[in-house]
Amino acid sequence: MSANESYLPDGYANHLCSLTETLTSLRETIEGDHTLTTDQRMFARRLLYLTNQPIKEAERILPDPDCDDDSTDDNTLDSANDYATALTRVEEQLCWLIRSLQAVLAEANYDEAPAEKFTTALEYATALRDIIPAVPTESPVLAAQADVTIGEIDPHVGGRGDSDGRWLEYQLDRALNRWGYGAARRQHIFSLEVDVVARRRTKQQEPSDWIVAQCKDWTTDPITPRILFRLCTVAFACRAMPVLCHTTELTPRAEKLARELEVRVLTLKDLERAELPAPHVAKPTTALNEWGPQYRAREDRGSFPLMFRGEPGKRFSYVPGFTPVGKDADYEPIESDQDDDDTHPAAGH
């Protein structure tokens, strides 16, 4: 049975729209709630992200719902004190969707049952109760739902488990596929293992058509220059764009290097975007409003030693055939190398 032939239960659209609105309000409130500790906000955002992913997958399987304009009027959180109410509302909507879809689509032939997607979302949503203070750890909704069975999720791990960092690699892999890439994890390049390599399915004639990525799912240790040097060494050897995906912080020196080398630094929140974010190459200064931007990565990075300048093939470029343009992070294809000595082994490369 195709998605367009599926018969959905009455009220499906309104329950789904109410659920997504409530989750959006929860995320926005948590991001701005500085009464929570840094770890609490981080784990809560991670659990909300993991809650949303199976919901989005279920939406792709099922027909697009038409929400009533008045269906989500009461789903905005007025304050952080509404956490308990919001979580209860999320659990109620998910339980309704699980039961209704199980009943209506019991005989439908889906490769991935939509009800199972919503069950996975419920597992992550209920784990929020162990993260947010002043919220009862036991769900009154699940206590009354004997027909809904869920597994236990460690809220301080957020679905990663003892996976040697593979959880974050998987999240990046999924995001890259959504952004139009074909990706592979745990690849060996010149005797070094890298977490993710990717190639854009439909080339856009940009260096970002090829990616080498490193994932650091850490909670305390900061990202140091050593991590970036290793990533860039491998990425540049492959003539690919370096990407760092992390859950911690960068040291000031590492942050500076990431801008200078145009590394695309992604957080969990970035993985929810519609496309691959551009690198941060400009750093505002304290005198921004008075003097204007005074920092550009390419100016600070400098260029080749004087002895190498003018030599054929000596240019900073992620991928052969591209040259930097301007002061930001733009590149353009090199149509010809007329200035290069074609007899030199490096000509055109």
Side-chain angles (χ1 to χ4, degrees):
M1 178 182 295
S2 68
N4 291 330
E5 297 170 347
S6 301
Y7 175 77
L8 296 178
D10 292 336
Y12 163 78
N14 289 342
H15 280 82
L16 179 61
C17 292
S18 176
L19 170 65
T20 54
E21 285 288 329
T22 305
L23 288 171
T24 299
S25 296
L26 256 176
R27 184 179 67 249
E28 293 173 351
T29 304
I30 287 171
E31 288 176 351
D33 184 5
H34 294 286
T35 63
L36 300 175
T37 67
T38 301
D39 283 348
Q40 287 170 340
R41 288 201 305 274
M42 180 187 69
F43 287 122
R45 289 199 305 265
R46 178 175 293 161
L47 287 172
L48 283 171
Y49 173 77
L50 291 169
T51 300
N52 270 306
Q53 289 308 300
I55 294 173
K56 292 177 180 177
E57 292 171 6
E59 288 184 88
R60 285 194 288 268
I61 296 172
L62 297 169
D64 293 333
D66 295 324
C67 299
D68 293 340
D69 293 338
D70 299 331
S71 64
T72 59
D73 287 349
D74 300 328
N75 292 332
T76 302
L77 272 68
D78 294 329
S79 68
N81 297 327
D82 292 339
Y83 285 138
T85 302
L87 283 174
T88 299
R89 185 184 301 139
V90 167
E91 293 164 348
E92 288 173 345
Q93 302 291 9
L94 284 169
C95 286
W96 187 94
L97 289 165
I98 293 168
R99 292 197 315 273
S100 301
L101 291 173
Q102 284 176 338
V104 173
L105 305 179
E107 298 181 359
N109 184 23
Y110 283 103
D111 294 333
E112 299 175 283
E116 294 181 4
K117 300 291 186 183
F118 288 114
T119 301
T120 301
L122 181 61
E123 292 172 352
Y124 290 119
T126 55
L128 281 163
R129 292 182 172 276
D130 293 324
I131 292 295
I132 302 175
V135 173
T137 56
E138 296 296 328
S139 169
V141 177
L142 295 182
Q145 304 288 340
D147 56 334
V148 176
T149 304
I150 64 171
E152 293 185 0
I153 295 292
D154 184 348
H156 299 285
V157 175
R160 292 175 295 174
D162 298 325
S163 55
D164 193 25
R166 295 175 189 268
W167 176 84
L168 187 58
E169 297 164 19
Y170 177 64
Q171 305 307 319
L172 178 60
D173 186 329
R174 289 173 56 131
L176 287 168
N177 276 277
R178 195 173 68 254
W179 294 335
Y181 288 84
R185 286 173 276 157
R186 299 284 171 135
Q187 300 295 299
H188 284 82
I189 302 173
F190 306 125
S191 300
L192 295 175
E193 184 180 82
V194 295
D195 294 335
V196 180
V197 296
R199 180 180 61 191
R200 193 175 264 130
R201 296 188 190 94
T202 302
K203 300 293 194 306
Q204 296 182 1
Q205 297 304 309
E206 297 177 354
S208 56
D209 288 341
W210 301 268
I211 281 175
V212 169
Q214 197 73 19
C215 299
K216 295 299 178 185
D217 193 12
W218 297 344
T219 57
T220 55
D221 295 338
I223 302 296
T224 62
R226 179 180 63 84
I227 303 297
L228 290 177
F229 282 131
R230 182 188 187 276
L231 167 62
C232 290
T233 297
V234 178
F236 294 161
C238 294
R239 296 302 194 193
M241 184 78 74
V243 172
L244 172 69
C245 186
H246 73 101
T247 56
T248 182
E249 303 291 336
L250 276 69
T251 65
R253 174 59 177 153
E255 183 181 350
K256 184 172 184 290
L257 276 173
R259 284 194 298 273
E260 293 175 357
L261 299 178
E262 299 173 31
V263 178
R264 303 199 179 205
V265 180
L266 310 181
T267 64
L268 281 175
K269 190 173 181 179
D270 291 323
L271 300 185
E272 301 179 39
R273 297 193 184 190
E275 60 184 8
L276 177 69
H280 300 291
V281 296
K283 179 182 180 182
T285 67
T286 55
L288 174 63
N289 294 329
E290 183 177 358
W291 303 103
Q294 298 182 21
Y295 184 100
R296 284 295 183 269
R298 289 176 178 171
E299 292 178 352
D300 199 72
R301 180 176 67 215
S303 60
F304 288 107
L306 183 61
M307 185 177 293
F308 292 169
R309 296 178 195 175
E311 291 290 321
K314 295 295 185 184
R315 61 174 65 90
F316 180 88
S317 179
Y318 290 116
V319 182
F322 291 88
T323 186
V325 177
K327 297 181 180 180
D328 292 322
D330 297 325
Y331 285 79
E332 67 179 15
I334 302 172
E335 297 182 358
S336 65
D337 286 324
Q338 296 178 356
D339 295 335
D340 287 350
D341 181 0
D342 291 336
T343 63
H344 194 282
H349 297 281

